[in-house]
Amino acid sequence: MAGFLTWRDLAAQDVALLQGAGDPAEARRLLIGILRFTPVPSPKEIVLLEFFLNNLRFAAECKFTTEKTSAFFSILRTNHEETVRGHMTLDQSLRFFRELLLLHAVQRPPYSVGIFSFKDVSLITDFVNSTYYKHYKLFQYCFTQSHELVLKTRSNLAETAPLGFPPLGDAIKHAVKWLAPA
């Protein structure tokens, strides 16, 4: 298991900066710096940025605290990274996501920490099902390395043409009956 994820990816000041961003372009620029992406993001980084910005937008709509926003962000990022690294099926990924979320929803030190309420867990689960898991195959296609197998077969047997055909005179004669049209 990944352990507690609060403050792993976003520190309190990072969350405050992102929440104070004036527009999506500024939030994108800030997130590129925080996550140390290249100044000109690759296509995969662009997809991740949109995914992360959408998650942050949801956290703001739900009025999550700084701590909840950081934990939520890290849960989804960790889930995505492990899904890609482990080539998980949708069911495996969903199970892993639920374990991560539960780890942050029940107060049982040192095993889990109660950051999210039951209502938060319900909102997060609905959101993730309607965004990430709705487009799961698309994320898999984008982030899973494809391997192309080129298979060439060759016969080890040498085929030879027949030396000759027997004469037609040696053929068996069949009696052919023609039916007269009725």
Side-chain angles (χ1 to χ4, degrees), residues 4-19 27-28 30-37 49 51-53 55-57 59-60 64-78 115:
F4 303 129
L5 300 175
T6 311
W7 315 123
R8 190 192 86 175
D9 296 309
L10 297 178
Q13 61 269 24
D14 296 333
V15 175
L17 277 172
L18 289 165
Q19 287 174 339
R28 176 187 302 271
L30 289 169
L31 199 53
I32 287 172
I34 292 167
L35 299 177
R36 295 183 181 94
F37 283 172
L49 279 171
F51 173 62
F52 293 150
L53 288 170
N55 296 339
L56 290 170
R57 208 172 298 120
F64 282 173
T65 63
T66 305
E67 183 181 28
K68 285 182 180 184
T69 300
S70 176
F72 173 66
F73 183 91
S74 294
I75 287 169
L76 292 181
R77 184 176 185 185
T78 301
I115 296 172

mmCIF file of all heavy atoms in Angstrom, residues 4-19 27-28 30-37 49 51-53 55-57 59-60 64-78 115:
data_model
loop_
_atom_site.group_PDB
_atom_site.id
_atom_site.type_symbol
_atom_site.label_atom_id
_atom_site.label_comp_id
_atom_site.label_asym_id
_atom_site.label_seq_id
_atom_site.Cartn_x
_atom_site.Cartn_y
_atom_site.Cartn_z
ATOM 1 N N PHE A 4 0.046 6.989 3.759
ATOM 2 C CA PHE A 4 -0.772 8.206 3.747
ATOM 3 C C PHE A 4 -0.242 9.164 2.696
ATOM 4 O O PHE A 4 0.959 9.395 2.600
ATOM 5 C CB PHE A 4 -0.779 8.856 5.126
ATOM 6 C CG PHE A 4 -1.273 7.937 6.207
ATOM 7 C CD1 PHE A 4 -0.545 7.751 7.364
ATOM 8 C CD2 PHE A 4 -2.455 7.244 6.060
ATOM 9 C CE1 PHE A 4 -0.997 6.888 8.359
ATOM 10 C CE2 PHE A 4 -2.918 6.385 7.045
ATOM 11 C CZ PHE A 4 -2.182 6.208 8.197
ATOM 12 N N LEU A 5 -1.144 9.740 1.927
ATOM 13 C CA LEU A 5 -0.735 10.524 0.762
ATOM 14 C C LEU A 5 -0.899 12.025 0.936
ATOM 15 O O LEU A 5 -0.577 12.779 0.026
ATOM 16 C CB LEU A 5 -1.517 10.052 -0.469
ATOM 17 C CG LEU A 5 -1.311 8.578 -0.824
ATOM 18 C CD1 LEU A 5 -2.214 8.180 -1.972
ATOM 19 C CD2 LEU A 5 0.135 8.303 -1.165
ATOM 20 N N THR A 6 -1.394 12.464 2.074
ATOM 21 C CA THR A 6 -1.562 13.892 2.295
ATOM 22 C C THR A 6 -0.203 14.575 2.230
ATOM 23 O O THR A 6 0.761 14.098 2.820
ATOM 24 C CB THR A 6 -2.206 14.149 3.669
ATOM 25 O OG1 THR A 6 -3.346 13.303 3.788
ATOM 26 C CG2 THR A 6 -2.644 15.589 3.812
ATOM 27 N N TRP A 7 -0.112 15.637 1.502
ATOM 28 C CA TRP A 7 1.086 16.464 1.317
ATOM 29 C C TRP A 7 2.177 15.777 0.485
ATOM 30 O O TRP A 7 3.265 16.287 0.370
ATOM 31 C CB TRP A 7 1.687 16.941 2.644
ATOM 32 C CG TRP A 7 0.697 17.463 3.630
ATOM 33 C CD1 TRP A 7 0.495 17.013 4.900
ATOM 34 C CD2 TRP A 7 -0.245 18.529 3.439
ATOM 35 N NE1 TRP A 7 -0.508 17.727 5.506
ATOM 36 C CE2 TRP A 7 -0.983 18.665 4.628
ATOM 37 C CE3 TRP A 7 -0.545 19.376 2.383
ATOM 38 C CZ2 TRP A 7 -1.995 19.607 4.789
ATOM 39 C CZ3 TRP A 7 -1.556 20.310 2.527
ATOM 40 C CH2 TRP A 7 -2.267 20.419 3.724
ATOM 41 N N ARG A 8 1.899 14.630 -0.097
ATOM 42 C CA ARG A 8 2.929 13.955 -0.889
ATOM 43 C C ARG A 8 3.244 14.718 -2.174
ATOM 44 O O ARG A 8 4.398 14.924 -2.514
ATOM 45 C CB ARG A 8 2.520 12.535 -1.238
ATOM 46 C CG ARG A 8 3.701 11.749 -1.841
ATOM 47 C CD ARG A 8 3.271 10.471 -2.458
ATOM 48 N NE ARG A 8 2.873 10.761 -3.836
ATOM 49 C CZ ARG A 8 2.526 9.857 -4.709
ATOM 50 N NH1 ARG A 8 2.504 8.611 -4.362
ATOM 51 N NH2 ARG A 8 2.171 10.195 -5.927
ATOM 52 N N ASP A 9 2.206 15.142 -2.891
ATOM 53 C CA ASP A 9 2.407 15.827 -4.171
ATOM 54 C C ASP A 9 2.223 17.332 -4.077
ATOM 55 O O ASP A 9 2.883 18.085 -4.787
ATOM 56 C CB ASP A 9 1.439 15.263 -5.223
ATOM 57 C CG ASP A 9 1.714 13.802 -5.521
ATOM 58 O OD1 ASP A 9 2.871 13.466 -5.798
ATOM 59 O OD2 ASP A 9 0.763 12.995 -5.462
ATOM 60 N N LEU A 10 1.297 17.755 -3.247
ATOM 61 C CA LEU A 10 1.006 19.187 -3.107
ATOM 62 C C LEU A 10 1.159 19.603 -1.646
ATOM 63 O O LEU A 10 0.450 19.100 -0.782
ATOM 64 C CB LEU A 10 -0.427 19.494 -3.561
ATOM 65 C CG LEU A 10 -0.781 19.237 -5.029
ATOM 66 C CD1 LEU A 10 -2.255 19.544 -5.270
ATOM 67 C CD2 LEU A 10 0.091 20.059 -5.961
ATOM 68 N N ALA A 11 2.070 20.522 -1.397
ATOM 69 C CA ALA A 11 2.222 21.083 -0.053
ATOM 70 C C ALA A 11 1.100 22.094 0.168
ATOM 71 O O ALA A 11 0.402 22.494 -0.774
ATOM 72 C CB ALA A 11 3.585 21.754 0.072
ATOM 73 N N ALA A 12 0.929 22.534 1.403
ATOM 74 C CA ALA A 12 -0.148 23.478 1.730
ATOM 75 C C ALA A 12 -0.025 24.756 0.904
ATOM 76 O O ALA A 12 -1.024 25.285 0.403
ATOM 77 C CB ALA A 12 -0.120 23.796 3.226
ATOM 78 N N GLN A 13 1.214 25.262 0.744
ATOM 79 C CA GLN A 13 1.392 26.503 -0.033
ATOM 80 C C GLN A 13 1.101 26.277 -1.522
ATOM 81 O O GLN A 13 0.621 27.188 -2.201
ATOM 82 C CB GLN A 13 2.789 27.113 0.174
ATOM 83 C CG GLN A 13 3.946 26.257 -0.240
ATOM 84 C CD GLN A 13 4.477 25.375 0.869
ATOM 85 O OE1 GLN A 13 3.768 25.055 1.820
ATOM 86 N NE2 GLN A 13 5.724 24.961 0.743
ATOM 87 N N ASP A 14 1.353 25.060 -2.032
ATOM 88 C CA ASP A 14 1.027 24.755 -3.429
ATOM 89 C C ASP A 14 -0.488 24.781 -3.644
ATOM 90 O O ASP A 14 -0.973 25.340 -4.629
ATOM 91 C CB ASP A 14 1.570 23.382 -3.826
ATOM 92 C CG ASP A 14 3.085 23.296 -3.777
ATOM 93 O OD1 ASP A 14 3.743 24.351 -3.938
ATOM 94 O OD2 ASP A 14 3.612 22.183 -3.572
ATOM 95 N N VAL A 15 -1.212 24.186 -2.706
ATOM 96 C CA VAL A 15 -2.677 24.173 -2.811
ATOM 97 C C VAL A 15 -3.210 25.596 -2.747
ATOM 98 O O VAL A 15 -4.093 25.982 -3.522
ATOM 99 C CB VAL A 15 -3.310 23.290 -1.705
ATOM 100 C CG1 VAL A 15 -4.832 23.383 -1.731
ATOM 101 C CG2 VAL A 15 -2.873 21.839 -1.857
ATOM 102 N N ALA A 16 -2.660 26.403 -1.846
ATOM 103 C CA ALA A 16 -3.097 27.801 -1.727
ATOM 104 C C ALA A 16 -2.821 28.567 -3.021
ATOM 105 O O ALA A 16 -3.667 29.349 -3.475
ATOM 106 C CB ALA A 16 -2.395 28.468 -0.542
ATOM 107 N N LEU A 17 -1.659 28.345 -3.629
ATOM 108 C CA LEU A 17 -1.339 29.000 -4.904
ATOM 109 C C LEU A 17 -2.324 28.597 -5.994
ATOM 110 O O LEU A 17 -2.819 29.441 -6.745
ATOM 111 C CB LEU A 17 0.077 28.632 -5.361
ATOM 112 C CG LEU A 17 1.233 29.402 -4.777
ATOM 113 C CD1 LEU A 17 2.557 28.766 -5.193
ATOM 114 C CD2 LEU A 17 1.194 30.853 -5.244
ATOM 115 N N LEU A 18 -2.604 27.303 -6.078
ATOM 116 C CA LEU A 18 -3.519 26.812 -7.113
ATOM 117 C C LEU A 18 -4.946 27.301 -6.882
ATOM 118 O O LEU A 18 -5.656 27.618 -7.836
ATOM 119 C CB LEU A 18 -3.481 25.284 -7.159
ATOM 120 C CG LEU A 18 -2.188 24.693 -7.720
ATOM 121 C CD1 LEU A 18 -2.081 23.210 -7.391
ATOM 122 C CD2 LEU A 18 -2.109 24.915 -9.218
ATOM 123 N N GLN A 19 -5.368 27.365 -5.616
ATOM 124 C CA GLN A 19 -6.714 27.855 -5.320
ATOM 125 C C GLN A 19 -6.827 29.353 -5.603
ATOM 126 O O GLN A 19 -7.913 29.837 -5.922
ATOM 127 C CB GLN A 19 -7.085 27.560 -3.865
ATOM 128 C CG GLN A 19 -7.367 26.097 -3.617
ATOM 129 C CD GLN A 19 -7.584 25.771 -2.147
ATOM 130 O OE1 GLN A 19 -7.175 26.516 -1.260
ATOM 131 N NE2 GLN A 19 -8.225 24.626 -1.880
ATOM 132 N N ALA A 27 -3.416 28.528 -13.530
ATOM 133 C CA ALA A 27 -3.380 27.288 -12.748
ATOM 134 C C ALA A 27 -2.542 26.236 -13.469
ATOM 135 O O ALA A 27 -1.755 25.522 -12.842
ATOM 136 C CB ALA A 27 -4.801 26.773 -12.512
ATOM 137 N N ARG A 28 -2.675 26.162 -14.788
ATOM 138 C CA ARG A 28 -1.889 25.216 -15.586
ATOM 139 C C ARG A 28 -0.398 25.530 -15.473
ATOM 140 O O ARG A 28 0.417 24.638 -15.259
ATOM 141 C CB ARG A 28 -2.329 25.287 -17.046
ATOM 142 C CG ARG A 28 -1.502 24.410 -17.985
ATOM 143 C CD ARG A 28 -1.872 24.667 -19.437
ATOM 144 N NE ARG A 28 -3.266 24.442 -19.688
ATOM 145 C CZ ARG A 28 -3.784 23.276 -20.048
ATOM 146 N NH1 ARG A 28 -3.004 22.243 -20.180
ATOM 147 N NH2 ARG A 28 -5.059 23.145 -20.266
ATOM 148 N N LEU A 30 1.128 27.156 -13.054
ATOM 149 C CA LEU A 30 1.568 26.838 -11.689
ATOM 150 C C LEU A 30 1.748 25.324 -11.493
ATOM 151 O O LEU A 30 2.729 24.877 -10.896
ATOM 152 C CB LEU A 30 0.553 27.365 -10.667
ATOM 153 C CG LEU A 30 0.485 28.880 -10.487
ATOM 154 C CD1 LEU A 30 -0.736 29.262 -9.664
ATOM 155 C CD2 LEU A 30 1.754 29.388 -9.838
ATOM 156 N N LEU A 31 0.813 24.557 -12.013
ATOM 157 C CA LEU A 31 0.877 23.101 -11.852
ATOM 158 C C LEU A 31 2.077 22.520 -12.605
ATOM 159 O O LEU A 31 2.720 21.582 -12.117
ATOM 160 C CB LEU A 31 -0.424 22.462 -12.334
ATOM 161 C CG LEU A 31 -0.723 21.056 -11.853
ATOM 162 C CD1 LEU A 31 -0.653 20.944 -10.339
ATOM 163 C CD2 LEU A 31 -2.076 20.605 -12.348
ATOM 164 N N ILE A 32 2.394 23.066 -13.765
ATOM 165 C CA ILE A 32 3.580 22.623 -14.509
ATOM 166 C C ILE A 32 4.825 22.824 -13.658
ATOM 167 O O ILE A 32 5.695 21.952 -13.591
ATOM 168 C CB ILE A 32 3.697 23.378 -15.857
ATOM 169 C CG1 ILE A 32 2.641 22.875 -16.835
ATOM 170 C CG2 ILE A 32 5.091 23.218 -16.456
ATOM 171 C CD1 ILE A 32 2.542 23.679 -18.118
ATOM 172 N N GLY A 33 4.904 23.963 -12.967
ATOM 173 C CA GLY A 33 6.049 24.222 -12.099
ATOM 174 C C GLY A 33 6.078 23.328 -10.872
ATOM 175 O O GLY A 33 7.130 22.805 -10.496
ATOM 176 N N ILE A 34 4.928 23.134 -10.249
ATOM 177 C CA ILE A 34 4.853 22.324 -9.030
ATOM 178 C C ILE A 34 5.215 20.867 -9.322
ATOM 179 O O ILE A 34 5.954 20.231 -8.567
ATOM 180 C CB ILE A 34 3.448 22.417 -8.399
ATOM 181 C CG1 ILE A 34 3.207 23.830 -7.859
ATOM 182 C CG2 ILE A 34 3.258 21.378 -7.310
ATOM 183 C CD1 ILE A 34 1.758 24.117 -7.496
ATOM 184 N N LEU A 35 4.701 20.336 -10.430
ATOM 185 C CA LEU A 35 4.938 18.928 -10.771
ATOM 186 C C LEU A 35 6.234 18.714 -11.552
ATOM 187 O O LEU A 35 6.556 17.587 -11.913
ATOM 188 C CB LEU A 35 3.750 18.372 -11.561
ATOM 189 C CG LEU A 35 2.416 18.393 -10.841
ATOM 190 C CD1 LEU A 35 1.305 17.882 -11.751
ATOM 191 C CD2 LEU A 35 2.478 17.577 -9.570
ATOM 192 N N ARG A 36 6.930 19.812 -11.829
ATOM 193 C CA ARG A 36 8.210 19.778 -12.552
ATOM 194 C C ARG A 36 8.085 19.131 -13.925
ATOM 195 O O ARG A 36 8.927 18.313 -14.316
ATOM 196 C CB ARG A 36 9.276 19.070 -11.718
ATOM 197 C CG ARG A 36 9.618 19.798 -10.448
ATOM 198 C CD ARG A 36 10.731 19.089 -9.682
ATOM 199 N NE ARG A 36 11.031 19.776 -8.447
ATOM 200 C CZ ARG A 36 10.485 19.474 -7.275
ATOM 201 N NH1 ARG A 36 9.612 18.515 -7.192
ATOM 202 N NH2 ARG A 36 10.812 20.145 -6.185
ATOM 203 N N PHE A 37 7.033 19.476 -14.638
ATOM 204 C CA PHE A 37 6.895 19.038 -16.018
ATOM 205 C C PHE A 37 7.801 19.916 -16.872
ATOM 206 O O PHE A 37 8.234 20.981 -16.447
ATOM 207 C CB PHE A 37 5.445 19.177 -16.499
ATOM 208 C CG PHE A 37 4.508 18.113 -15.998
ATOM 209 C CD1 PHE A 37 3.151 18.218 -16.226
ATOM 210 C CD2 PHE A 37 4.963 16.997 -15.314
ATOM 211 C CE1 PHE A 37 2.271 17.242 -15.778
ATOM 212 C CE2 PHE A 37 4.099 16.020 -14.853
ATOM 213 C CZ PHE A 37 2.744 16.144 -15.099
ATOM 214 N N LEU A 49 -2.094 16.927 -17.186
ATOM 215 C CA LEU A 49 -2.431 18.265 -16.687
ATOM 216 C C LEU A 49 -3.932 18.492 -16.694
ATOM 217 O O LEU A 49 -4.487 19.022 -15.726
ATOM 218 C CB LEU A 49 -1.739 19.348 -17.527
ATOM 219 C CG LEU A 49 -0.296 19.639 -17.189
ATOM 220 C CD1 LEU A 49 0.324 20.566 -18.236
ATOM 221 C CD2 LEU A 49 -0.182 20.263 -15.819
ATOM 222 N N PHE A 51 -6.240 16.216 -16.587
ATOM 223 C CA PHE A 51 -6.785 15.334 -15.555
ATOM 224 C C PHE A 51 -6.619 15.969 -14.174
ATOM 225 O O PHE A 51 -7.569 16.057 -13.389
ATOM 226 C CB PHE A 51 -6.067 13.977 -15.636
ATOM 227 C CG PHE A 51 -6.405 13.012 -14.538
ATOM 228 C CD1 PHE A 51 -7.699 12.552 -14.367
ATOM 229 C CD2 PHE A 51 -5.420 12.538 -13.690
ATOM 230 C CE1 PHE A 51 -8.008 11.648 -13.361
ATOM 231 C CE2 PHE A 51 -5.716 11.627 -12.690
ATOM 232 C CZ PHE A 51 -7.012 11.187 -12.525
ATOM 233 N N PHE A 52 -5.413 16.457 -13.871
ATOM 234 C CA PHE A 52 -5.141 17.049 -12.562
ATOM 235 C C PHE A 52 -5.924 18.345 -12.353
ATOM 236 O O PHE A 52 -6.453 18.589 -11.268
ATOM 237 C CB PHE A 52 -3.647 17.323 -12.390
ATOM 238 C CG PHE A 52 -2.798 16.081 -12.332
ATOM 239 C CD1 PHE A 52 -1.501 16.091 -12.787
ATOM 240 C CD2 PHE A 52 -3.294 14.886 -11.824
ATOM 241 C CE1 PHE A 52 -0.698 14.958 -12.726
ATOM 242 C CE2 PHE A 52 -2.515 13.742 -11.760
ATOM 243 C CZ PHE A 52 -1.207 13.782 -12.223
ATOM 244 N N LEU A 53 -5.996 19.190 -13.377
ATOM 245 C CA LEU A 53 -6.740 20.444 -13.248
ATOM 246 C C LEU A 53 -8.230 20.177 -13.039
ATOM 247 O O LEU A 53 -8.891 20.873 -12.264
ATOM 248 C CB LEU A 53 -6.523 21.333 -14.471
ATOM 249 C CG LEU A 53 -5.137 21.969 -14.570
ATOM 250 C CD1 LEU A 53 -4.937 22.616 -15.936
ATOM 251 C CD2 LEU A 53 -4.923 22.989 -13.462
ATOM 252 N N ASN A 55 -9.432 17.553 -11.555
ATOM 253 C CA ASN A 55 -9.551 17.080 -10.171
ATOM 254 C C ASN A 55 -9.510 18.249 -9.193
ATOM 255 O O ASN A 55 -10.269 18.285 -8.221
ATOM 256 C CB ASN A 55 -8.434 16.082 -9.848
ATOM 257 C CG ASN A 55 -8.532 14.830 -10.681
ATOM 258 O OD1 ASN A 55 -9.585 14.509 -11.217
ATOM 259 N ND2 ASN A 55 -7.423 14.133 -10.816
ATOM 260 N N LEU A 56 -8.628 19.213 -9.444
ATOM 261 C CA LEU A 56 -8.535 20.391 -8.575
ATOM 262 C C LEU A 56 -9.800 21.243 -8.660
ATOM 263 O O LEU A 56 -10.256 21.803 -7.662
ATOM 264 C CB LEU A 56 -7.300 21.217 -8.927
ATOM 265 C CG LEU A 56 -5.960 20.572 -8.574
ATOM 266 C CD1 LEU A 56 -4.804 21.355 -9.187
ATOM 267 C CD2 LEU A 56 -5.795 20.459 -7.061
ATOM 268 N N ARG A 57 -10.369 21.329 -9.854
ATOM 269 C CA ARG A 57 -11.623 22.067 -10.037
ATOM 270 C C ARG A 57 -12.735 21.424 -9.209
ATOM 271 O O ARG A 57 -13.517 22.118 -8.554
ATOM 272 C CB ARG A 57 -11.987 22.065 -11.527
ATOM 273 C CG ARG A 57 -12.791 23.236 -11.980
ATOM 274 C CD ARG A 57 -12.961 23.297 -13.499
ATOM 275 N NE ARG A 57 -11.682 23.437 -14.196
ATOM 276 C CZ ARG A 57 -11.198 22.573 -15.092
ATOM 277 N NH1 ARG A 57 -11.900 21.519 -15.446
ATOM 278 N NH2 ARG A 57 -10.037 22.760 -15.667
ATOM 279 N N ALA A 59 -12.331 19.585 -6.492
ATOM 280 C CA ALA A 59 -12.040 19.826 -5.072
ATOM 281 C C ALA A 59 -12.490 21.233 -4.670
ATOM 282 O O ALA A 59 -13.026 21.425 -3.575
ATOM 283 C CB ALA A 59 -10.549 19.641 -4.802
ATOM 284 N N ALA A 60 -12.298 22.208 -5.556
ATOM 285 C CA ALA A 60 -12.726 23.577 -5.262
ATOM 286 C C ALA A 60 -14.254 23.670 -5.214
ATOM 287 O O ALA A 60 -14.810 24.352 -4.349
ATOM 288 C CB ALA A 60 -12.163 24.534 -6.308
ATOM 289 N N PHE A 64 -13.286 21.623 -0.592
ATOM 290 C CA PHE A 64 -12.385 20.819 0.220
ATOM 291 C C PHE A 64 -11.361 21.717 0.900
ATOM 292 O O PHE A 64 -10.937 22.727 0.338
ATOM 293 C CB PHE A 64 -11.628 19.801 -0.638
ATOM 294 C CG PHE A 64 -12.432 18.584 -1.022
ATOM 295 C CD1 PHE A 64 -11.909 17.671 -1.915
ATOM 296 C CD2 PHE A 64 -13.691 18.331 -0.505
ATOM 297 C CE1 PHE A 64 -12.609 16.543 -2.281
ATOM 298 C CE2 PHE A 64 -14.406 17.211 -0.856
ATOM 299 C CZ PHE A 64 -13.862 16.308 -1.752
ATOM 300 N N THR A 65 -10.954 21.338 2.098
ATOM 301 C CA THR A 65 -9.890 22.058 2.794
ATOM 302 C C THR A 65 -8.575 21.801 2.061
ATOM 303 O O THR A 65 -8.500 20.947 1.171
ATOM 304 C CB THR A 65 -9.755 21.555 4.249
ATOM 305 O OG1 THR A 65 -9.364 20.175 4.205
ATOM 306 C CG2 THR A 65 -11.050 21.729 5.023
ATOM 307 N N THR A 66 -7.541 22.508 2.469
ATOM 308 C CA THR A 66 -6.223 22.328 1.875
ATOM 309 C C THR A 66 -5.752 20.882 2.044
ATOM 310 O O THR A 66 -5.223 20.278 1.108
ATOM 311 C CB THR A 66 -5.222 23.301 2.532
ATOM 312 O OG1 THR A 66 -5.747 24.622 2.415
ATOM 313 C CG2 THR A 66 -3.874 23.247 1.875
ATOM 314 N N GLU A 67 -5.973 20.340 3.228
ATOM 315 C CA GLU A 67 -5.560 18.964 3.514
ATOM 316 C C GLU A 67 -6.320 17.964 2.637
ATOM 317 O O GLU A 67 -5.729 17.045 2.071
ATOM 318 C CB GLU A 67 -5.791 18.655 4.990
ATOM 319 C CG GLU A 67 -5.338 17.284 5.413
ATOM 320 C CD GLU A 67 -5.618 17.002 6.886
ATOM 321 O OE1 GLU A 67 -6.582 17.572 7.442
ATOM 322 O OE2 GLU A 67 -4.881 16.197 7.452
ATOM 323 N N LYS A 68 -7.629 18.150 2.499
ATOM 324 C CA LYS A 68 -8.438 17.253 1.680
ATOM 325 C C LYS A 68 -8.037 17.353 0.210
ATOM 326 O O LYS A 68 -7.966 16.337 -0.488
ATOM 327 C CB LYS A 68 -9.930 17.583 1.826
ATOM 328 C CG LYS A 68 -10.541 17.127 3.128
ATOM 329 C CD LYS A 68 -12.020 17.450 3.165
ATOM 330 C CE LYS A 68 -12.653 17.011 4.464
ATOM 331 N NZ LYS A 68 -14.108 17.234 4.490
ATOM 332 N N THR A 69 -7.786 18.585 -0.243
ATOM 333 C CA THR A 69 -7.401 18.779 -1.643
ATOM 334 C C THR A 69 -6.085 18.070 -1.937
ATOM 335 O O THR A 69 -5.945 17.394 -2.963
ATOM 336 C CB THR A 69 -7.284 20.284 -1.965
ATOM 337 O OG1 THR A 69 -8.555 20.898 -1.734
ATOM 338 C CG2 THR A 69 -6.867 20.522 -3.396
ATOM 339 N N SER A 70 -5.109 18.206 -1.055
ATOM 340 C CA SER A 70 -3.819 17.551 -1.248
ATOM 341 C C SER A 70 -3.969 16.032 -1.248
ATOM 342 O O SER A 70 -3.402 15.344 -2.111
ATOM 343 C CB SER A 70 -2.833 17.979 -0.154
ATOM 344 O OG SER A 70 -1.626 17.286 -0.291
ATOM 345 N N ALA A 71 -4.723 15.500 -0.306
ATOM 346 C CA ALA A 71 -4.926 14.051 -0.230
ATOM 347 C C ALA A 71 -5.672 13.540 -1.468
ATOM 348 O O ALA A 71 -5.293 12.524 -2.063
ATOM 349 C CB ALA A 71 -5.685 13.688 1.035
ATOM 350 N N PHE A 72 -6.719 14.244 -1.876
ATOM 351 C CA PHE A 72 -7.509 13.868 -3.050
ATOM 352 C C PHE A 72 -6.626 13.849 -4.298
ATOM 353 O O PHE A 72 -6.644 12.890 -5.078
ATOM 354 C CB PHE A 72 -8.680 14.852 -3.208
ATOM 355 C CG PHE A 72 -9.470 14.686 -4.459
ATOM 356 C CD1 PHE A 72 -10.222 13.545 -4.682
ATOM 357 C CD2 PHE A 72 -9.485 15.676 -5.425
ATOM 358 C CE1 PHE A 72 -10.961 13.391 -5.843
ATOM 359 C CE2 PHE A 72 -10.214 15.539 -6.583
ATOM 360 C CZ PHE A 72 -10.956 14.392 -6.801
ATOM 361 N N PHE A 73 -5.847 14.888 -4.480
ATOM 362 C CA PHE A 73 -4.945 14.989 -5.630
ATOM 363 C C PHE A 73 -3.970 13.806 -5.634
ATOM 364 O O PHE A 73 -3.780 13.140 -6.659
ATOM 365 C CB PHE A 73 -4.177 16.314 -5.565
ATOM 366 C CG PHE A 73 -3.276 16.547 -6.744
ATOM 367 C CD1 PHE A 73 -3.737 17.214 -7.860
ATOM 368 C CD2 PHE A 73 -1.962 16.114 -6.738
ATOM 369 C CE1 PHE A 73 -2.906 17.435 -8.955
ATOM 370 C CE2 PHE A 73 -1.125 16.327 -7.819
ATOM 371 C CZ PHE A 73 -1.599 16.987 -8.929
ATOM 372 N N SER A 74 -3.364 13.540 -4.498
ATOM 373 C CA SER A 74 -2.356 12.466 -4.414
ATOM 374 C C SER A 74 -2.971 11.082 -4.573
ATOM 375 O O SER A 74 -2.350 10.186 -5.150
ATOM 376 C CB SER A 74 -1.597 12.560 -3.101
ATOM 377 O OG SER A 74 -0.831 13.741 -3.072
ATOM 378 N N ILE A 75 -4.181 10.890 -4.078
ATOM 379 C CA ILE A 75 -4.861 9.604 -4.247
ATOM 380 C C ILE A 75 -5.067 9.323 -5.727
ATOM 381 O O ILE A 75 -4.759 8.236 -6.223
ATOM 382 C CB ILE A 75 -6.204 9.578 -3.483
ATOM 383 C CG1 ILE A 75 -5.960 9.470 -1.978
ATOM 384 C CG2 ILE A 75 -7.092 8.423 -3.963
ATOM 385 C CD1 ILE A 75 -7.208 9.696 -1.142
ATOM 386 N N LEU A 76 -5.568 10.319 -6.457
ATOM 387 C CA LEU A 76 -5.834 10.099 -7.879
ATOM 388 C C LEU A 76 -4.549 9.964 -8.686
ATOM 389 O O LEU A 76 -4.473 9.166 -9.621
ATOM 390 C CB LEU A 76 -6.719 11.218 -8.431
ATOM 391 C CG LEU A 76 -8.146 11.204 -7.878
ATOM 392 C CD1 LEU A 76 -8.966 12.324 -8.472
ATOM 393 C CD2 LEU A 76 -8.812 9.877 -8.130
ATOM 394 N N ARG A 77 -3.532 10.729 -8.318
ATOM 395 C CA ARG A 77 -2.257 10.616 -9.029
ATOM 396 C C ARG A 77 -1.625 9.242 -8.764
ATOM 397 O O ARG A 77 -1.156 8.577 -9.695
ATOM 398 C CB ARG A 77 -1.300 11.725 -8.598
ATOM 399 C CG ARG A 77 0.000 11.687 -9.380
ATOM 400 C CD ARG A 77 0.919 12.826 -9.057
ATOM 401 N NE ARG A 77 2.078 12.782 -9.925
ATOM 402 C CZ ARG A 77 3.106 13.597 -9.819
ATOM 403 N NH1 ARG A 77 3.106 14.551 -8.904
ATOM 404 N NH2 ARG A 77 4.131 13.486 -10.630
ATOM 405 N N THR A 78 -1.602 8.805 -7.523
ATOM 406 C CA THR A 78 -1.039 7.502 -7.177
ATOM 407 C C THR A 78 -1.816 6.384 -7.848
ATOM 408 O O THR A 78 -1.230 5.439 -8.385
ATOM 409 C CB THR A 78 -1.036 7.305 -5.643
ATOM 410 O OG1 THR A 78 -0.276 8.352 -5.060
ATOM 411 C CG2 THR A 78 -0.459 5.959 -5.252
ATOM 412 N N ILE A 115 -9.527 11.718 6.989
ATOM 413 C CA ILE A 115 -9.544 13.050 6.363
ATOM 414 C C ILE A 115 -10.896 13.313 5.717
ATOM 415 O O ILE A 115 -11.459 14.394 5.840
ATOM 416 C CB ILE A 115 -8.412 13.168 5.310
ATOM 417 C CG1 ILE A 115 -7.056 13.057 5.979
ATOM 418 C CG2 ILE A 115 -8.527 14.476 4.536
ATOM 419 C CD1 ILE A 115 -5.908 12.971 5.017
#
